[in-house]
Amino acid sequence: MTKNAIISSAAAHPSPRLASITQARQALLQTGQKLQTGRISPWVERSWQRCLALGLKPRMSVAFDQISAARARSTQEANQHLASTARPLLENLARAIVNTRYFAILTNAEGVVVDACGAIDRSDTRATQITRVGTDLCEHSIGTTAIGTALSELQPVWVHRGEHFFEATSVYSCAGAPLFGPDGACIGILDVTGVDVQERRELKHLVRQSACKIENAMVLAQKHSILLRLNWPGNPIGHEADGLVCLDEDGWIKGANRVARQMVSDLTSATRADVHINEVFGLPIEQLFDASKRPDHLLELPLWSGLRLQAQAIAHTDEANALPATSGTVPLRDVEAAMIRKAVDDTGGNISQAARMLGIGRATLYRKLGQRAH
């Protein structure tokens, strides 16, 4: 069978997946019927509903407009750090998908393209018009896409062919994942898109993983004195799955990645610009600086919620050479003993003053000192 015959056969006999998408489009977009559960992805249905609420129609033309020159300049300036930090990881992503005819797109938090990379067919306007820096790819402009939908849903999404709202964009297949900055706010979207390509849902996982790498790079680029790598007890530390928290020399949190914000509830709010480490962990900053001198040892880190994490504290000057911690975790009782010893030494043996410094009662300190003696 010739290639043209194969294409004609595929067009005449669409896959069950494409047939299901077509039926969903007819039900919701043409007749306004409620869709059966599972017919299409829930984020696609919600995007269709938003497009309809905007007064958009599936057969409208799509212009793929570029923003004004003035706005383009301000957008480029505002996203220069994001683009430069993400570029090496964008190139790695492009290499991973080079033989699939998909390419990578990076946008800002408004869905405007700030970079693109990969096997972009420059002879195909359908590819070039969505990869031009300054092109507006938000939901208001071009309807349902992985970029617009991920911005609305703030989660990784996959959108295939007719799941795009406009008929004119049904040639695309795309995966998108939101990018969260060091303060927890959404700063953009990482996307991979193909034109007239085979569906590859696994790309959603690849994009999500690549987005996490970009987020980690953004956190590590913050000016800081100590890096805390966090994980739950029993899990290895020193890898990409770690929570990351950056601290300045006074213990103020300068940035945290998404994993850390999921582990520690006090880090989840993007509106809290100034958070001190003492508000988050039940351990003085001095102990973390001391622990950073031995980054090969894990530290047991108490949260005010009563939970515990294990942590690797690394001085900023040592980050380039730091290896995954392989030594045993320092037990919390040993950390507590060190804190008590330091407080007593710093106060010249004044138990009352040491107790106040530790935030505990005098009797409690005597009891703990008695336990240490045994």
Side-chain angles (χ1 to χ4, degrees), residues 289-344:
F289 273 98
D290 288 344
S292 70
K293 298 174 183 177
R294 301 184 64 188
D296 58 321
H297 278 66
L298 295 182
L299 184 69
E300 201 167 89
L301 204 54
L303 306 180
W304 292 117
S305 64
L307 296 172
R308 295 182 183 181
L309 292 170
Q310 58 180 4
Q312 182 184 20
I314 308 170
H316 179 56
T317 53
D318 296 332
E319 285 176 27
N321 302 317
L323 297 174
T326 55
S327 301
T329 302
V330 179
L332 188 59
R333 61 178 179 273
D334 292 348
V335 175
E336 183 183 66
M339 291 170 59
I340 291 174
R341 182 170 58 253
K342 186 175 187 304
V344 172

Side-chain angles (χ1 to χ4, degrees), residues 44-268:
V44 171
E45 182 176 359
R46 288 192 290 267
S47 177
W48 285 0
Q49 295 285 10
R50 289 192 296 268
C51 290
L52 290 172
L54 290 170
L56 303 178
K57 303 295 181 183
R59 293 185 178 179
M60 285 180 173
S61 61
V62 181
F64 296 102
D65 293 329
Q66 288 187 288
I67 58 177
S68 67
R71 185 182 168 199
R73 285 192 296 272
S74 63
T75 298
Q76 186 176 18
E77 292 173 1
N79 294 278
Q80 184 176 5
H81 180 52
L82 168 62
S84 61
T85 303
R87 184 65 189 186
L89 297 162
L90 206 64
E91 292 173 349
N92 289 341
L93 174 59
R95 282 196 293 272
I97 60 178
V98 67
N99 294 322
T100 65
R101 293 171 51 219
Y102 283 81
F103 44 84
I105 300 173
L106 180 70
T107 81
N108 67 0
E110 287 76 47
V112 176
V113 178
V114 296
D115 200 1
C117 187
I120 303 168
D121 184 355
R122 299 299 177 182
S123 66
D124 189 341
T125 56
R126 298 173 301 177
T128 57
Q129 64 191 357
I130 65 171
T131 53
R132 297 172 302 177
V133 173
T135 300
D136 186 355
L137 300 180
C138 74
E139 199 169 69
H140 287 69
S141 297
I142 64 168
T144 303
T145 64
I147 290 171
T149 306
L151 277 174
S152 296
E153 300 282 332
L154 293 182
Q155 66 170 320
V157 300
W158 172 257
V159 180
H160 180 54
R161 295 293 188 110
E163 289 183 320
H164 292 76
F165 180 81
F166 290 116
E167 292 180 3
T169 56
S170 63
V171 297
Y172 300 109
S173 297
C174 47
L179 295 167
F180 296 95
D183 64 353
C186 180
I187 56 174
I189 296 293
L190 180 63
D191 169 274
V192 295
T193 293
V195 183
D196 285 335
V197 290
Q198 178 182 348
E199 181 171 27
R200 298 184 182 277
R201 296 192 192 189
E202 63 271 26
L203 291 180
K204 188 175 83 166
H205 175 268
L206 176 60
V207 169
R208 177 173 54 192
Q209 188 179 71
S210 298
C212 288
K213 292 180 180 180
I214 293 174
E215 292 170 351
N216 289 353
M218 293 289 288
V219 170
L220 294 175
Q222 297 294 107
K223 185 178 180 181
H224 60 279
S225 294
I226 289 183
L227 168 67
L228 292 181
R229 287 186 168 274
L230 309 176
N231 218 316
W232 298 108
N235 293 333
I237 277 189
H239 305 282
E240 292 174 352
D242 293 344
L244 303 179
V245 178
C246 290
L247 310 174
D248 69 10
E249 62 276 8
D250 297 317
W252 291 99
I253 296 173
K254 308 307 294 182
N257 69 353
R258 190 180 349 179
V259 177
R261 294 177 188 281
Q262 291 170 343
M263 290 178 177
V264 185
S265 60
D266 291 333
L267 293 174
T268 57

